[in-house]
Amino acid sequence: MKSSHPRLSQSKPPQSGPPLSNSAQPEAYQSDSCHSKTWFPESWQTCRLSQQAHYADLKLLDKTIQELSQLPPLVSVQEIEELKTKIASAAKGDSFVLQGGDCAELFSDCNAEVITDKLKILLQMSLILVYGLNKPVVKIGRMAGQYAKPRSAETETINGLSLPCYRGDLINGVEFTPEQRQPDPKRLLKGYSFASLTLNYLRTLLDNHFGDLSNVDNWDLDFVAHSSRAREYHEILDKLKYSQSVIENLTLQTNTASAKDKIYTCHEALHLHYEQALTRQCDRGRWYNLSTHMPWIGMRTSQLDSAHVEYMRGIENPVAIKIGPSMSAEQLLDLVNILDPNNCPGRLTLITRFGEQKIQQLLPAMICLIQKEGRTPLWCCDPMHGNTSITSHGRKTRRFDAIINELTKAFQIHQNLGSHLGGVHFELTGENVTECVGGARGLTELDLQKAYKSLVDPRLNAEQALEIAILITRLNQPS
Ligand code: PEP
Ligand code: CO
């Protein structure tokens, strides 16, 4: 395997560009000058770049990127291709994708308890979905690399002092001091290490059968144990255990629930130097981002001529695009043409995040155009990011009702148009936080002060997440 040679300065294409494969690798895209050149891991550097940190020490950045590009990959090509196949199956309606995790992972949260709790809630939700939908569920954690955040402002001002905004632990520290807010290239190496530690622990848990049905009694989270959602969840569990024992009695096989479970990772591919350094040329000369299974382009960096689109068009991973209210159906189609010119199964996931008020007005035209063009991406709904509001105390929150409303509408709109919603995308945590209002426990705005931990967007707590999983199974019943 050859490693890429990242450059910081505006780089020129290599004499003979890297070989392009015939699957995800696009032909030159004619209608936009930025994407019409030969792709190579640094070609994004000549395109419009936004949402990047301003480093004071470019030499140190360069050195760090060189160092990163020599370090071993975090995920394998086999796993990435396996996920692509699974996404293709979800796009056809044969399975369902559950994507979830923190808005921003913190380096300080890289510990056994937090990682285990996040895995537990994803496993519990997945179990509810498998039972209710009677389909395999593909779990993709916003984990092991979700460390860089797009921001709406460059700076933050407190008492007359303006400092760079917090852009995620990969870039700077949240503490409001000039030292912490200064972007520090060395954080890129830390981010790589914490991602690696997180993945290692996830793999250790799953390799040791933590995710097996036979281990299900260890997934309970203390603070949800006595809630009404936990009761519903345990009823489902009892039914599953009963079905399992019937199968075992019928087939005279024991231990049918010991198959190893899998979890894939995803993050917003925002910090392009980081992503570039972990982009490696693999089999048949194809390029893969080996820092994560599924990188995505955030809503703020998905313009047609953006550096982020340029970077993503050349890698072989399954990629996702966040689609917000400012994108038109025609722009979406242009993006689809750039990122998935050959309509490669499993290559593209479209994650819509319009908000409960706008989804009805915006989603149908997109679905119709994509259908008309014969495209078959996976459609996914993120009912979190279009439904953020600010409380009277100035806290960011999301109403549980609004989240449910957007999800309900998404399922209905797809169904009415003969399309298929094949996945959901949530910001959630296994911790007992109070960041979103509503849900079975009826959290109010006043409750938010009890355990509001997110530094960026509000997340569902485990109880709210279970409630949503139960609801999805009801929304997705065939009519
Ligand atoms: C996010 O997923 O945390 C995010 C910033 O999303 P979006 O790009 O959809 O706003
Ligand atoms: Co977010």
Coordinates of all heavy atoms in Angstrom, one line a residue, residues 103-104 142 149 385 398 427 456-457, ligand 2:
C103 N -22.6 15.2 18.8 CA -22.4 16.2 17.8 C -20.9 16.4 17.6 O -20.4 16.4 16.5 CB -23.0 17.5 18.3 SG -22.8 18.9 17.1
A104 N -20.2 16.6 18.8 CA -18.7 16.7 18.8 C -18.2 15.8 19.8 O -18.5 15.9 21.0 CB -18.3 18.1 19.1
R142 N -21.3 7.9 15.0 CA -20.6 9.2 14.9 C -19.5 9.1 15.9 O -19.6 9.7 17.0 CB -21.5 10.4 15.2 CG -22.5 10.7 14.1 CD -23.5 11.8 14.6 NE -22.8 13.1 14.8 CZ -23.1 14.2 14.2 NH1 -23.9 14.3 13.2 NH2 -22.4 15.3 14.5
K149 N -15.6 20.7 14.0 CA -17.0 21.2 13.8 C -17.0 22.5 12.9 O -16.1 23.3 13.0 CB -17.5 21.7 15.2 CG -17.7 20.6 16.2 CD -18.6 19.4 15.6 CE -20.0 19.8 15.2 NZ -20.7 18.7 14.5
H385 N -30.8 18.5 13.1 CA -30.2 19.7 12.8 C -31.1 20.8 12.2 O -30.7 22.0 12.3 CB -29.0 19.5 11.9 CG -27.8 18.9 12.6 ND1 -27.7 17.5 12.8 CD2 -26.8 19.5 13.3 CE1 -26.6 17.3 13.6 NE2 -26.0 18.5 13.9
R398 N -33.5 21.2 21.4 CA -34.3 20.6 20.3 C -35.5 20.0 21.0 O -35.4 19.3 22.0 CB -33.6 19.6 19.5 CG -32.5 20.1 18.6 CD -31.5 19.1 18.2 NE -30.6 19.7 17.3 CZ -29.4 19.2 17.0 NH1 -28.9 18.2 17.6 NH2 -28.6 19.8 16.1
E427 N -28.2 12.8 16.8 CA -27.1 13.1 17.8 C -27.7 12.6 19.1 O -28.7 13.0 19.6 CB -26.9 14.6 17.8 CG -26.1 15.0 16.5 CD -25.7 16.4 16.4 OE1 -26.2 17.3 17.1 OE2 -24.8 16.7 15.6
V456 N -21.5 21.7 21.8 CA -22.0 22.2 20.5 C -23.6 21.9 20.4 O -24.3 22.7 21.0 CB -21.3 21.6 19.3 CG1 -21.5 22.4 18.1 CG2 -19.8 21.5 19.6
D457 N -24.0 20.9 19.8 CA -25.5 20.7 19.6 C -26.0 19.8 20.7 O -25.4 18.9 21.2 CB -25.7 20.1 18.3 CG -25.6 21.0 17.1 OD1 -25.7 22.3 17.4 OD2 -25.3 20.6 16.0
Ligands
CO2 CO -24.5 18.8 15.3

